[in-house]
């Protein structure tokens, strides 16, 4: 039995894929009639597709239940804890140290996957056998699943690109052109690598599906909520207005704040993140954010 926690856009998609592959699937959300205790009772695999803000709540509830140490937790959340900057997988592992934890992350815009369009993703874990099991559960002729042994790198790729996706939305909203977009995405990737490697991830992981792949998807699609936030800010709307009309979470907003604090503490240069932060705080206009990036001191390409 596979239990998917979180019945939002991504949780529903993942449940549908596993169901189509012939697995028994339970779905749970805080609105469902099924209790969490019943939902996870026979679960060999628990897939968490809740937004970052709900992770601690749900883990606290699960902590009170008796779960087998063989139960595999799969995290599909792309965010960082606002207090500790821990990733979702790190929080799962802190709470359930004996259980295998697998991250599932890639260029996976749910609106495309629900239409049956082809996509690929990555499952990564320190427990290779658990990653292989999860690979089997979700692999299909429409969803190609790769394994990877750098769970932190895979998880950070999916999380950090959301900040760049907000900036990419601004870039398109201001109609800055393809050259500007290419520069932004390439320099955004440099920032992702810089902080990711500082936190212990492997550099090459960021050039794969879960890093560069997801960056390309979210920086170019109006289906991305993070891209939409940037695009609409460039159009002159304020953040409250945008969020009031946005379907689902734009995790990049919280991630930007966490990253800004971490980059300051660790003295890690993250100019794009810094400008996205100032923009989200309404401290600069989209045009001022652009000027802030273009008028930085000139420097070699590979230097902090
Ligand atoms: N949509 C996509 O294309 C993709 C999304 N992701 C990631 O997956 C995660 C979920 O995204 P998505 O499904 O789109 O978001 P949605 O907003 O559609 O769904 C979020 C889910 O989290 C639940 N939730 C939020 N807070 C709590 C809480 N305190 N307690 C219990 N449940 C809670 C919501 O419950 P309720 O409905 O009751 O509010 C809902 O089921 C995000 O981190 C996102 O970045 C990853 C890949 C693709
Ligand atoms: O992570 C995603 C696609 O891989 C979804 O992006 P958004 O959260 O910006 O919609």
């Amino acid at each position: 039995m596979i239990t998917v926690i979180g019945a939002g856009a991504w949780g529903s998609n993942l449940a549908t894929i596993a169901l189509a592959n012939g697995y028994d699937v339970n779905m749970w959300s805080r609105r469902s009639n099924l209790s969490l205790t019943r939902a996870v009772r026979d679960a060999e695999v628990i897939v968490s597709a809740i937004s970052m803000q709900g992770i601690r709540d749900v883990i606290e509830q699960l902590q009170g239940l008796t779960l087998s140490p063989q139960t595999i937790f799969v995290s599909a959340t792309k965010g960082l804890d606002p207090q500790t900057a821990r990733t979702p997988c790190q929080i799962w592992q802190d709470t359930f140290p004996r259980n295998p934890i697998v991250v599932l992350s890639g260029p996976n815009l749910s609106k495309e996957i629900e239409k049956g369009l082809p996509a690929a993703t990555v499952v990564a874990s320190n427990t290779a056998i658990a990653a292989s099991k999860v690979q089997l559960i979700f692999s299909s002729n429409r969803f190609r699943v790769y394994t990877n042994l750098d769970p932190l790198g895979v998880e950070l790729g999916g999380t950090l690109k959301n900040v760049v996706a907000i900036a990419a939305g601004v870039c398109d909203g201001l109609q800055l052109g393809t050259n500007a977009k290419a520069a932004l995405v390439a320099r955004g990737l440099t920032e992702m690598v810089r902080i990711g490697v500082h936190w212990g991830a492997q550099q090459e992981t960021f050039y794969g599906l879960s890093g560069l792949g997801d960056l390309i998807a979210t920086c170019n699609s109006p289906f991305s909520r993070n891209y939409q936030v940037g695009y609409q800010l460039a159009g002159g709307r304020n953040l409250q207005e945008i969020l009031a009309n946005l379907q689902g979470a734009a995790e990049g907003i919280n991630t930007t704040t966490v990253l800004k604090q971490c980059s300051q503490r660790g003295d890690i240069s993250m100019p794009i993140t810094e400008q996205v932060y100032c923009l989200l705080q309404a401290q600069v206009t989209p045009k001022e954010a652009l000027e802030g990036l273009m008028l930085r001191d000139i420097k070699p390409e590979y230097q902090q």
Side-chain angles (χ1 to χ4, degrees), residues 149-161:
L149 289 170
D150 178 21
L152 181 62
V154 169
E155 193 173 29
L156 287 176
T159 291
L160 303 180
K161 57 81 193 172

Side-chain angles (χ1 to χ4, degrees), residues 68-132:
S68 155
Q70 262 104 51
T71 304
I72 299 172
F73 289 102
V74 181
S75 170
T77 305
K78 295 177 175 174
L80 293 171
D81 183 67
Q83 270 79 46
T84 61
R86 303 286 281 164
T87 69
C89 279
Q90 288 171 335
I91 300 172
W92 284 104
Q93 194 75 80
D94 291 345
T95 317
F96 299 99
R98 293 188 304 158
N99 291 74
I101 313 288
V102 178
V103 56
L104 184 153
S105 189
N108 299 148
L109 295 156
S110 57
K111 284 238 159 61
E112 292 189 1
I113 292 175
E114 73 193 20
K115 284 187 193 168
L117 294 171
T121 203
V122 183
V123 290
S125 177
N126 294 321
T127 315
I129 197 164
S132 299

Side-chain angles (χ1 to χ4, degrees), residues 10 76 78 104-109 120-122 154-162 164-165 185 189 192 205-221 224 226:
W10 193 216
K78 295 177 175 174
L104 184 153
S105 189
N108 299 148
L109 295 156
T121 203
V122 183
V154 169
E155 193 173 29
L156 287 176
T159 291
L160 303 180
K161 57 81 193 172
N162 282 335
V164 189
V185 171
L189 182 60
M192 289 165 58
T205 309
F206 291 97
Y207 304 127
L209 272 177
S210 57
L212 180 60
D214 206 357
L215 192 59
I216 292 172
T218 35
C219 287
N220 289 299
S221 174
S224 156
N226 290 289

